[in-house]
Amino acid sequence: MPLHVPPAPAPALNSIRTALGSPTAARTPALGSLDGPFELELPLPVHVLDDITAADGPPRARLTGWRFLIRDGDRTAASAEAMLAADGWVFSHFSEGPYVASAELALRQAESLPSVYQPRLLSIPELYMLTLWLRGDPAADPAEGHLAAADLLVPLTPAPPGIAAHRPHRAADLLPVLTLRLTPAPTPLLGSSA
């Protein structure tokens, strides 16, 4: 089924278009070697889950940006992100590398799922992890950060050791596994032999 990709805020999109047209914007090597014209596609809201070990209710994420894939003809060359600042949406950065190909693959896989989802990105900084978040409510406000138990999380490459990239997991199943990775090991009692 097709994904329900929400429209990005116009100021976020405009900030990236301006950066693409600017001769002073720091471009990635791939973008620097291409002349364009570039197309911005698949705007995804970027959410950050700051504390996955919090026990005070369902996990919540906060919207921090919008990320777009940048196409040059028939290939994706890089991505660009706009971030939310005090005075509105501003260009943040261009990037390339494993994320771009991984995101494309995960989105293609998601389109073959039997249900309709709203695609988002979920960053888990504590694990240096980025996932494709497939929100089960395709009509949800993209700025809303409620992570439902039935939502799917698809770890992108590079995934943390022991977590398979591109394998969809229900949020209710994956988050406890991730939480265990962050739980400190018990300290040995004084005077006990090791």
Side-chain angles (χ1 to χ4, degrees), residues 37-190:
F38 300 112
E39 292 179 45
L40 297 173
E41 64 178 29
L42 293 168
L44 299 177
V46 180
H47 290 261
V48 173
L49 188 60
D50 287 315
D51 185 6
I52 65 172
T53 60
D56 59 349
R60 294 200 58 81
R62 61 185 169 83
L63 178 68
T64 60
W66 281 81
R67 193 172 295 181
F68 300 76
L69 294 179
I70 302 172
R71 293 192 62 82
D72 178 51
D74 61 348
R75 70 178 214 122
T76 301
S79 69
E81 189 166 326
M83 65 180 204
L84 189 55
D87 56 345
W89 291 101
V90 296
F91 170 72
S92 174
H93 63 276
F94 294 114
S95 62
E96 59 183 59
Y99 158 76
V100 175
S102 184
E104 268 193 310
L105 175 59
L107 287 162
R108 276 197 311 272
Q109 290 171 328
E111 286 176 342
S112 68
L113 294 173
S115 298
V116 177
Y117 293 97
Q118 181 189 93
R120 303 171 173 199
L121 292 173
L122 181 65
S123 173
I124 306 170
E126 293 170 289
L127 294 170
Y128 303 100
M129 182 178 186
L130 186 63
T131 70
L132 177 63
W133 173 10
L134 298 172
R135 182 78 171 90
D137 178 2
D141 178 352
E144 171 272 318
H146 172 72
L147 191 63
D151 289 353
L152 296 180
L153 298 176
V154 183
L156 300 181
T157 302
I163 304 291
H166 298 283
R167 183 170 172 247
H169 303 270
R170 287 184 51 236
D173 298 333
L174 184 59
L175 289 175
V177 172
L178 299 178
T179 301
L180 288 174
R181 291 176 161 266
L182 294 172
T183 304
T187 24
L189 298 173
L190 293 176

